Amino acid sequence: MDLRNFDLNLLVVLHTLIAERSVSNTAKKLHLSQPATSAALKRLRVALDDRILVRDGLQMVLTPRAEELFAPLTAILGEIDRTLTASEIFNPAKVERTMRIATNDYGAFILIPPLMNRLQSIAPNIDVEVWEIGRDAIAALKEGKIDLAICDGWTLKQCQCTEVLFSETFTCLARAEHPRIQGELTIDRYLAEEHILVSPRGRVRGHVDAVLARQGWERRVRLTLPHVLAVPAAVSATDCIVTIASRIAHQLAASYDLQILSPPIDVGDFQVAMAWRSALTNDLAIQWLQGELRSICAEI
Protein backbone atom coordinates (compact mmCIF):
# COMPACT_ATOMS: atom_id res chain seq x y z
CA MET A 1 0.00 0.00 0.00
CA ASP A 2 1.26 3.50 -0.88
CA LEU A 3 0.55 5.63 2.20
CA ARG A 4 0.91 8.79 0.13
CA ASN A 5 -2.33 7.88 -1.62
CA PHE A 6 -4.11 6.54 1.47
CA ASP A 7 -6.40 8.70 3.58
CA LEU A 8 -5.15 8.13 7.13
CA ASN A 9 -8.53 9.26 8.49
CA LEU A 10 -9.78 5.90 7.29
CA LEU A 11 -7.76 4.22 10.06
CA VAL A 12 -10.18 5.60 12.65
CA VAL A 13 -13.11 4.31 10.62
CA LEU A 14 -11.45 0.92 10.21
CA HIS A 15 -10.72 0.61 13.94
CA THR A 16 -14.30 1.50 14.85
CA LEU A 17 -15.76 -0.83 12.23
CA ILE A 18 -13.73 -3.72 13.67
CA ALA A 19 -14.70 -2.85 17.22
CA GLU A 20 -18.41 -2.36 16.50
CA ARG A 21 -18.82 -4.92 13.69
CA SER A 22 -21.57 -2.69 12.34
CA VAL A 23 -21.71 0.09 9.74
CA SER A 24 -24.64 1.82 11.46
CA ASN A 25 -23.02 1.71 14.91
CA THR A 26 -19.76 3.00 13.46
CA ALA A 27 -21.62 5.88 11.83
CA LYS A 28 -23.18 6.81 15.18
CA LYS A 29 -19.87 6.55 17.05
CA LEU A 30 -18.03 8.76 14.56
CA HIS A 31 -20.97 11.13 13.92
CA LEU A 32 -21.00 10.24 10.24
CA SER A 33 -23.88 9.50 7.93
CA GLN A 34 -24.44 5.87 7.07
CA PRO A 35 -23.77 6.46 3.34
CA ALA A 36 -20.45 8.14 4.21
CA THR A 37 -19.50 5.22 6.46
CA SER A 38 -20.46 2.71 3.78
CA ALA A 39 -18.34 4.63 1.29
CA ALA A 40 -15.40 4.58 3.70
CA LEU A 41 -15.79 0.81 4.10
CA LYS A 42 -15.77 0.42 0.33
CA ARG A 43 -12.54 2.43 0.07
CA LEU A 44 -10.96 0.36 2.84
CA ARG A 45 -11.91 -2.86 1.09
CA VAL A 46 -10.17 -1.69 -2.05
CA ALA A 47 -7.08 -0.42 -0.20
CA LEU A 48 -6.67 -3.59 1.90
CA ASP A 49 -7.94 -6.01 -0.73
CA ASP A 50 -10.12 -7.52 1.99
CA ARG A 51 -13.86 -7.39 2.68
CA ILE A 52 -13.31 -6.58 6.41
CA LEU A 53 -16.98 -7.16 7.32
CA VAL A 54 -19.10 -9.93 5.81
CA ARG A 55 -22.64 -11.00 6.48
CA ASP A 56 -23.17 -14.33 8.23
CA GLY A 57 -26.88 -14.95 8.56
CA LEU A 58 -28.39 -12.04 10.48
CA GLN A 59 -25.10 -10.66 11.76
CA MET A 60 -21.91 -9.14 10.43
CA VAL A 61 -18.61 -10.90 11.20
CA LEU A 62 -15.00 -9.89 10.75
CA THR A 63 -12.66 -11.44 8.24
CA PRO A 64 -9.48 -13.05 9.64
CA ARG A 65 -7.48 -10.12 8.25
CA ALA A 66 -9.67 -7.63 10.12
CA GLU A 67 -9.29 -9.62 13.36
CA GLU A 68 -5.50 -9.43 12.98
CA LEU A 69 -5.57 -5.67 12.43
CA PHE A 70 -7.43 -4.72 15.60
CA ALA A 71 -4.57 -4.95 18.11
CA PRO A 72 -1.97 -3.07 16.01
CA LEU A 73 -4.55 -0.43 15.06
CA THR A 74 -5.39 0.09 18.74
CA ALA A 75 -1.70 0.56 19.53
CA ILE A 76 -1.09 2.91 16.58
CA LEU A 77 -4.09 5.15 17.25
CA GLY A 78 -3.33 5.15 20.97
CA GLU A 79 0.21 6.29 20.32
CA ILE A 80 -1.00 9.05 17.98
CA ASP A 81 -3.49 10.21 20.58
CA ARG A 82 -0.86 10.23 23.33
CA THR A 83 1.55 12.14 21.09
CA LEU A 84 -0.97 14.83 20.18
CA THR A 85 -2.25 15.20 23.76
CA ALA A 86 1.11 14.86 25.51
CA SER A 87 0.51 18.12 27.37
CA GLU A 88 -2.71 16.80 28.90
CA ILE A 89 -2.03 15.51 32.39
CA PHE A 90 -4.59 13.41 34.23
CA ASN A 91 -5.05 14.57 37.81
CA PRO A 92 -7.12 12.01 39.76
CA ALA A 93 -7.50 14.40 42.69
CA LYS A 94 -9.64 16.72 40.55
CA VAL A 95 -11.80 14.11 38.83
CA GLU A 96 -15.38 13.38 39.85
CA ARG A 97 -16.41 10.10 38.30
CA THR A 98 -17.87 6.69 39.07
CA MET A 99 -15.81 3.72 37.88
CA ARG A 100 -17.82 0.56 37.26
CA ILE A 101 -15.89 -2.69 37.63
CA ALA A 102 -17.41 -6.12 37.05
CA THR A 103 -15.61 -8.86 38.93
CA ASN A 104 -16.09 -12.07 40.89
CA ASP A 105 -15.43 -12.95 44.54
CA TYR A 106 -11.73 -13.19 43.83
CA GLY A 107 -11.40 -9.69 42.41
CA ALA A 108 -13.65 -8.17 45.07
CA PHE A 109 -11.65 -9.86 47.84
CA ILE A 110 -8.09 -9.45 46.57
CA LEU A 111 -8.04 -6.32 44.39
CA ILE A 112 -10.86 -3.97 45.38
CA PRO A 113 -9.76 -3.30 49.01
CA PRO A 114 -6.20 -2.20 48.08
CA LEU A 115 -7.64 -0.19 45.17
CA MET A 116 -9.96 1.71 47.51
CA ASN A 117 -7.08 2.23 49.92
CA ARG A 118 -5.16 4.01 47.16
CA LEU A 119 -8.18 5.98 45.92
CA GLN A 120 -9.09 7.43 49.32
CA SER A 121 -5.87 9.43 49.41
CA ILE A 122 -5.21 10.29 45.75
CA ALA A 123 -8.70 10.31 44.19
CA PRO A 124 -11.26 11.28 46.85
CA ASN A 125 -14.00 12.08 44.31
CA ILE A 126 -13.76 8.88 42.28
CA ASP A 127 -16.38 6.37 43.36
CA VAL A 128 -16.33 2.67 42.51
CA GLU A 129 -19.29 0.45 41.72
CA VAL A 130 -18.50 -3.25 41.81
CA TRP A 131 -20.83 -5.34 39.67
CA GLU A 132 -21.18 -9.08 39.79
CA ILE A 133 -19.58 -10.56 36.73
CA GLY A 134 -22.08 -12.74 34.92
CA ARG A 135 -22.23 -14.47 31.59
CA ASP A 136 -23.18 -11.18 29.95
CA ALA A 137 -19.99 -9.39 31.04
CA ILE A 138 -18.76 -9.06 27.45
CA ALA A 139 -22.06 -7.52 26.37
CA ALA A 140 -21.99 -5.16 29.35
CA LEU A 141 -18.50 -4.02 28.35
CA LYS A 142 -19.49 -3.44 24.73
CA GLU A 143 -22.63 -1.54 25.74
CA GLY A 144 -20.65 0.71 28.07
CA LYS A 145 -22.46 -0.37 31.25
CA ILE A 146 -19.12 -1.16 32.90
CA ASP A 147 -15.62 0.26 32.47
CA LEU A 148 -13.51 -2.79 33.34
CA ALA A 149 -14.00 -6.49 33.91
CA ILE A 150 -11.62 -8.43 36.14
CA CYS A 151 -11.68 -12.21 36.53
CA ASP A 152 -10.01 -15.32 35.16
CA GLY A 153 -8.63 -15.03 31.66
CA TRP A 154 -10.78 -17.85 30.31
CA THR A 155 -13.99 -15.96 31.08
CA LEU A 156 -12.68 -12.90 29.22
CA LYS A 157 -11.31 -14.76 26.20
CA GLN A 158 -13.94 -13.29 23.86
CA CYS A 159 -13.07 -9.69 24.80
CA GLN A 160 -11.01 -7.77 22.27
CA CYS A 161 -9.05 -5.64 24.76
CA THR A 162 -7.56 -7.75 27.54
CA GLU A 163 -4.43 -7.84 29.67
CA VAL A 164 -3.18 -10.55 32.00
CA LEU A 165 -2.44 -9.12 35.45
CA PHE A 166 -0.86 -12.16 37.14
CA SER A 167 -1.12 -15.91 37.58
CA GLU A 168 -2.76 -17.60 40.56
CA THR A 169 -2.32 -21.06 42.07
CA PHE A 170 -4.46 -23.25 44.32
CA THR A 171 -4.16 -24.04 48.03
CA CYS A 172 -6.10 -26.35 50.37
CA LEU A 173 -7.53 -25.36 53.75
CA ALA A 174 -8.61 -27.53 56.68
CA ARG A 175 -9.39 -26.70 60.29
CA ALA A 176 -6.40 -26.70 62.63
CA GLU A 177 -7.79 -29.52 64.80
CA HIS A 178 -8.74 -31.77 61.91
CA PRO A 179 -8.61 -35.33 63.29
CA ARG A 180 -7.02 -36.91 60.20
CA ILE A 181 -4.98 -34.11 58.63
CA GLN A 182 -1.96 -32.51 60.28
CA GLY A 183 0.52 -30.60 58.13
CA GLU A 184 0.47 -32.82 55.03
CA LEU A 185 -2.18 -33.93 52.60
CA THR A 186 -1.75 -37.13 50.59
CA ILE A 187 -3.84 -37.95 47.56
CA ASP A 188 -5.47 -40.87 49.39
CA ARG A 189 -6.45 -38.63 52.29
CA TYR A 190 -7.58 -35.89 49.91
CA LEU A 191 -9.93 -38.26 48.09
CA ALA A 192 -11.19 -39.80 51.33
CA GLU A 193 -12.24 -36.47 52.85
CA GLU A 194 -15.38 -34.48 52.13
CA HIS A 195 -14.99 -31.24 50.21
CA ILE A 196 -16.42 -27.75 49.91
CA LEU A 197 -16.89 -26.32 46.43
CA VAL A 198 -17.24 -22.60 45.76
CA SER A 199 -19.47 -22.14 42.72
CA PRO A 200 -21.96 -19.36 41.97
CA ARG A 201 -23.65 -21.73 39.50
CA GLY A 202 -24.42 -24.46 42.00
CA ARG A 203 -23.14 -28.03 41.87
CA VAL A 204 -21.06 -28.11 38.71
CA ARG A 205 -17.75 -29.78 37.99
CA GLY A 206 -14.99 -27.34 38.80
CA HIS A 207 -11.37 -27.06 37.70
CA VAL A 208 -10.15 -29.42 40.42
CA ASP A 209 -12.74 -32.04 39.50
CA ALA A 210 -11.65 -31.91 35.87
CA VAL A 211 -8.00 -32.52 36.91
CA LEU A 212 -9.03 -35.44 39.14
CA ALA A 213 -11.18 -36.93 36.40
CA ARG A 214 -8.23 -37.07 34.03
CA GLN A 215 -6.55 -39.39 36.54
CA GLY A 216 -9.68 -41.47 37.01
CA TRP A 217 -10.35 -40.00 40.47
CA GLU A 218 -13.40 -38.37 41.99
CA ARG A 219 -13.96 -36.43 45.21
CA ARG A 220 -17.13 -36.07 47.23
CA VAL A 221 -18.40 -32.50 47.40
CA ARG A 222 -20.42 -32.31 50.61
CA LEU A 223 -21.15 -28.58 50.50
CA THR A 224 -21.46 -26.10 47.62
CA LEU A 225 -21.27 -22.39 48.43
CA PRO A 226 -21.99 -19.48 46.08
CA HIS A 227 -19.47 -17.11 47.67
CA VAL A 228 -16.01 -17.43 49.18
CA LEU A 229 -17.00 -15.36 52.22
CA ALA A 230 -18.70 -18.36 53.84
CA VAL A 231 -15.74 -20.71 53.31
CA PRO A 232 -13.69 -20.11 56.49
CA ALA A 233 -16.68 -20.50 58.80
CA ALA A 234 -17.73 -23.71 57.05
CA VAL A 235 -14.20 -25.16 57.10
CA SER A 236 -13.56 -24.30 60.75
CA ALA A 237 -16.88 -25.86 61.82
CA THR A 238 -16.50 -29.16 59.93
CA ASP A 239 -13.97 -31.74 58.80
CA CYS A 240 -14.48 -30.66 55.18
CA ILE A 241 -11.54 -29.33 53.19
CA VAL A 242 -11.56 -26.75 50.42
CA THR A 243 -9.30 -26.07 47.45
CA ILE A 244 -9.32 -22.38 46.52
CA ALA A 245 -7.12 -19.63 45.08
CA SER A 246 -3.90 -19.30 47.10
CA ARG A 247 -4.06 -15.56 47.81
CA ILE A 248 -7.57 -15.92 49.20
CA ALA A 249 -6.60 -19.04 51.17
CA HIS A 250 -3.72 -17.28 52.92
CA GLN A 251 -5.87 -14.31 53.90
CA LEU A 252 -8.64 -16.54 55.24
CA ALA A 253 -6.23 -18.73 57.17
CA ALA A 254 -4.76 -15.67 58.87
CA SER A 255 -8.20 -14.68 60.18
CA TYR A 256 -9.39 -18.15 61.18
CA ASP A 257 -7.73 -21.14 62.82
CA LEU A 258 -7.07 -22.99 59.56
CA GLN A 259 -4.29 -25.13 58.16
CA ILE A 260 -2.70 -24.18 54.84
CA LEU A 261 -1.97 -27.30 52.82
CA SER A 262 -0.45 -27.94 49.42
CA PRO A 263 -2.73 -29.84 47.03
CA PRO A 264 -1.53 -33.45 46.67
CA ILE A 265 -1.83 -33.22 42.88
CA ASP A 266 -0.80 -30.62 40.34
CA VAL A 267 -3.99 -28.67 39.71
CA GLY A 268 -2.20 -26.05 37.63
CA ASP A 269 -2.91 -22.35 37.84
CA PHE A 270 -5.07 -19.72 36.22
CA GLN A 271 -4.59 -16.19 34.94
CA VAL A 272 -6.26 -13.15 36.44
CA ALA A 273 -6.98 -10.64 33.68
CA MET A 274 -8.74 -7.37 33.02
CA ALA A 275 -10.75 -6.39 29.97
CA TRP A 276 -12.08 -3.06 28.78
CA ARG A 277 -14.18 -1.63 25.99
CA SER A 278 -12.19 -0.71 22.88
CA ALA A 279 -13.82 2.72 22.82
CA LEU A 280 -12.19 3.47 26.19
CA THR A 281 -8.66 2.55 25.10
CA ASN A 282 -7.63 6.22 25.00
CA ASP A 283 -9.70 7.34 28.00
CA LEU A 284 -7.18 8.93 30.40
CA ALA A 285 -9.21 7.98 33.47
CA ILE A 286 -9.39 4.34 32.42
CA GLN A 287 -5.68 4.34 31.58
CA TRP A 288 -4.98 5.70 35.06
CA LEU A 289 -7.24 3.11 36.72
CA GLN A 290 -5.51 0.33 34.80
CA GLY A 291 -2.15 1.66 35.96
CA GLU A 292 -3.30 1.62 39.58
CA LEU A 293 -4.43 -1.98 39.23
CA ARG A 294 -1.13 -2.98 37.65
CA SER A 295 0.72 -1.43 40.60
CA ILE A 296 -1.48 -3.29 43.07
CA CYS A 297 -0.96 -6.58 41.25
CA ALA A 298 2.81 -6.05 41.24
CA GLU A 299 2.71 -5.64 45.02
CA ILE A 300 0.61 -8.70 45.78
Side-chain angles (χ1 to χ4, degrees), residues 194-222:
E194 295 175 335
H195 294 255
I196 294 173
L197 170 67
V198 181
S199 171
R201 295 178 292 157
R203 186 67 60 87
V204 296
R205 191 173 80 160
H207 174 78
V208 174
D209 298 291
V211 173
L212 291 172
R214 288 197 289 269
Q215 301 295 326
W217 296 326
E218 185 178 2
R219 63 175 179 169
R220 184 193 175 190
V221 175
R222 180 72 182 277

Side-chain angles (χ1 to χ4, degrees), residues 7 23 29 58 85 111 119 129-130 136 144 148 169 180 204 220 233 243 245 247 257-258 267 275 282:
D7 183 357
V23 172
K29 289 280 185 183
L58 298 177
T85 59
L111 298 178
L119 295 190
E129 283 185 15
V130 178
D136 59 348
L148 287 178
T169 58
R180 295 172 297 278
V204 296
R220 184 193 175 190
T243 307
R247 287 177 175 83
D257 195 14
L258 304 177
V267 293
N282 299 320

Side-chain angles (χ1 to χ4, degrees), residues 49-77:
D49 191 22
D50 186 88
R51 297 183 65 191
I52 303 170
L53 277 175
V54 295
R55 183 165 297 281
D56 182 10
L58 298 177
Q59 62 181 355
M60 300 295 285
V61 298
L62 299 175
T63 63
R65 173 66 172 148
E67 293 273 10
E68 293 174 357
L69 286 172
F70 184 76
L73 275 173
T74 299
I76 291 168
L77 293 175

Side-chain angles (χ1 to χ4, degrees), residues 109 173 229 232-233 236 248-258 260:
F109 195 89
L173 293 176
L229 184 62
S236 62
I248 290 181
H250 281 78
Q251 288 201 32
L252 296 181
S255 302
Y256 288 78
D257 195 14
L258 304 177
I260 295 176

Side-chain angles (χ1 to χ4, degrees), residues 118 163-165 274 276 286-299:
R118 296 170 78 99
E163 178 181 333
V164 174
L165 295 171
M274 65 178 171
W276 61 96
I286 298 302
Q287 290 179 1
W288 172 82
L289 179 62
Q290 290 170 326
E292 293 300 303
L293 287 166
R294 292 186 192 101
S295 297
I296 290 169
C297 292
E299 293 173 2

Side-chain angles (χ1 to χ4, degrees), residues 159-180:
C159 297
Q160 289 183 321
C161 300
T162 61
E163 178 181 333
V164 174
L165 295 171
F166 57 89
S167 293
E168 179 62 288
T169 58
F170 290 93
T171 294
C172 298
L173 293 176
R175 68 185 180 98
E177 302 302 323
H178 197 290
R180 295 172 297 278

Side-chain angles (χ1 to χ4, degrees), residues 105-278:
D105 274 357
Y106 185 95
F109 195 89
I110 298 297
L111 298 178
I112 297 301
L115 174 63
M116 295 308 300
N117 179 264
R118 296 170 78 99
L119 295 190
Q120 69 181 359
S121 60
I122 62 176
N125 297 314
I126 292 181
D127 300 327
V128 176
E129 283 185 15
V130 178
W131 291 33
E132 183 177 0
I133 193 160
R135 298 178 181 177
D136 59 348
I138 298 174
L141 273 176
K142 185 174 182 180
E143 294 167 8
K145 294 179 180 178
I146 57 177
D147 299 308
L148 287 178
I150 303 174
C151 61
D152 60 279
W154 187 87
T155 299
L156 301 177
K157 65 180 182 179
Q158 297 298 326
C159 297
Q160 289 183 321
C161 300
T162 61
E163 178 181 333
V164 174
L165 295 171
F166 57 89
S167 293
E168 179 62 288
T169 58
F170 290 93
T171 294
C172 298
L173 293 176
R175 68 185 180 98
E177 302 302 323
H178 197 290
R180 295 172 297 278
I181 301 174
Q182 288 299 320
E184 184 179 358
L185 193 57
T186 66
I187 186 60
D188 290 339
R189 177 50 49 199
Y190 185 84
L191 296 175
E193 295 298 328
E194 295 175 335
H195 294 255
I196 294 173
L197 170 67
V198 181
S199 171
R201 295 178 292 157
R203 186 67 60 87
V204 296
R205 191 173 80 160
H207 174 78
V208 174
D209 298 291
V211 173
L212 291 172
R214 288 197 289 269
Q215 301 295 326
W217 296 326
E218 185 178 2
R219 63 175 179 169
R220 184 193 175 190
V221 175
R222 180 72 182 277
L223 173 65
T224 303
L225 296 171
H227 302 293
V228 75
L229 184 62
V231 165
V235 172
S236 62
T238 68
D239 288 342
C240 292
I241 61 177
V242 67
T243 307
I244 58 175
S246 296
R247 287 177 175 83
I248 290 181
H250 281 78
Q251 288 201 32
L252 296 181
S255 302
Y256 288 78
D257 195 14
L258 304 177
Q259 297 182 64
I260 295 176
L261 304 158
S262 297
I265 57 171
D266 182 7
V267 293
D269 57 12
F270 64 93
Q271 294 179 327
V272 177
M274 65 178 171
W276 61 96
R277 189 160 51 107
S278 59

